[in-house]
Amino acid sequence: MVEPVVTYRVPGRSAEAEIEVKRSRFRCTLERVEDEAAARALVERLRREHWDARHHCSAFVVGPPPVPVERSSDDGEPAGTAGAPMLEVLRGAGLSDTAVVVTRWFGGTLLGAGGLVRAYGDAVRAAVARAGLLERRLRSEVEVDLDHAEAGRVETELRSRGVDVLETAYGARVRVLLGVDPAQVARTEGLLAELTSGAARPVVVGQRWVDGSPAAG
């Protein structure tokens, strides 16, 4: 039985990095993207901004494992020398929801297939190192209604025990939406019962991905 995926990596921030190889400049722009349309929009934006460059090679990975959407483009470079090695760097870093575009200004010297593969891969590696990595975690959404008099105390206790408080809404009662590791839902329900002397009636209302702490490289 295949274990469900409950975490994956995304960029910590947008980043740029530039390297030079035999007077050719390779500038990698890395951004976090939500979907394929956003990744393609990044490529088009950089084409307009850097209209004087010869190539705008790209790669992106979108969506959680095990079946993210993956695409790459050599944009006129010899087949397999740009987009594929760029995509391999993203795969090697375990990144998703990530688009990279390497803009190349030709320096007048042909680099050969091996030189191109190294240059495009190295440019992406440099940008990934600058962006850093975040762990994105799958969380069950657990909703619970609390009295105003106890909501602050209960929320503080939950946070202190590592439970993510995603939303708090105030009305006749206080509706608190928690983000809970799917494997810890029963434990969290027991914790709420303990904190409210059995009065809380938590309900699982859905799931969402949330950003967590920086991931180890």
Side-chain angles (χ1 to χ4, degrees), residues 16-34:
E16 284 191 348
E18 185 172 312
I19 65 172
E20 183 173 319
V21 182
K22 295 182 179 178
R23 295 191 298 177
S24 278
R25 293 165 51 209
F26 297 81
R27 178 182 295 173
C28 180
T29 302
L30 179 153
E31 290 192 4
R32 182 169 169 180
V33 293
E34 294 184 357

Side-chain angles (χ1 to χ4, degrees), residues 64 100 147 200:
V100 288
D147 291 333

Side-chain angles (χ1 to χ4, degrees), residues 5 13 98 142 155 189:
V5 174
R13 57 189 174 275
T98 307
V142 177
E155 186 174 328
E189 290 172 342

Side-chain angles (χ1 to χ4, degrees), residues 39 43 57-61 71-73 82-84 86-87 90 98-101:
V43 178
C57 304
S58 60
F60 63 84
V61 183
R71 300 283 187 270
S72 65
S73 169
M86 292 166 62
L87 183 58
L90 297 184
T98 307
V100 288
V101 180

Side-chain angles (χ1 to χ4, degrees), residues 26-27 29 49 73 89 104 110 113 139 145 159 161 167 171 178 183 188 190 193 202 209:
F26 297 81
R27 178 182 295 173
T29 302
E49 289 182 7
S73 169
V89 174
R104 181 192 181 191
L110 296 176
R139 289 293 180 257
D145 288 338
R159 290 183 188 276
R161 302 190 196 196
E167 298 173 12
L178 307 174
T188 302
W209 290 95

Side-chain angles (χ1 to χ4, degrees), residues 135-216:
E135 185 178 79
R136 195 156 168 75
R137 305 173 299 183
L138 182 64
R139 289 293 180 257
S140 292
E141 296 175 316
V142 177
E143 185 176 282
V144 60
D145 288 338
L146 301 169
D147 291 333
H148 284 266
E150 66 180 1
R153 174 184 61 81
V154 171
E155 186 174 328
T156 299
E157 285 287 344
L158 291 169
R159 290 183 188 276
S160 72
R161 302 190 196 196
V163 179
D164 294 330
V165 178
L166 303 178
E167 298 173 12
T168 304
Y170 295 89
R173 289 170 63 79
V174 181
R175 183 184 67 83
V176 180
L177 186 66
L178 307 174
V180 179
D181 185 322
Q184 297 296 318
V185 170
R187 174 183 171 275
T188 302
E189 290 172 342
L191 177 58
L192 283 164
E194 173 191 328
L195 294 173
T196 64
S197 301
R201 295 290 183 267
V203 178
V204 177
V205 296
Q207 289 186 324
R208 72 165 73 174
W209 290 95
V210 300
D211 288 350
S213 56

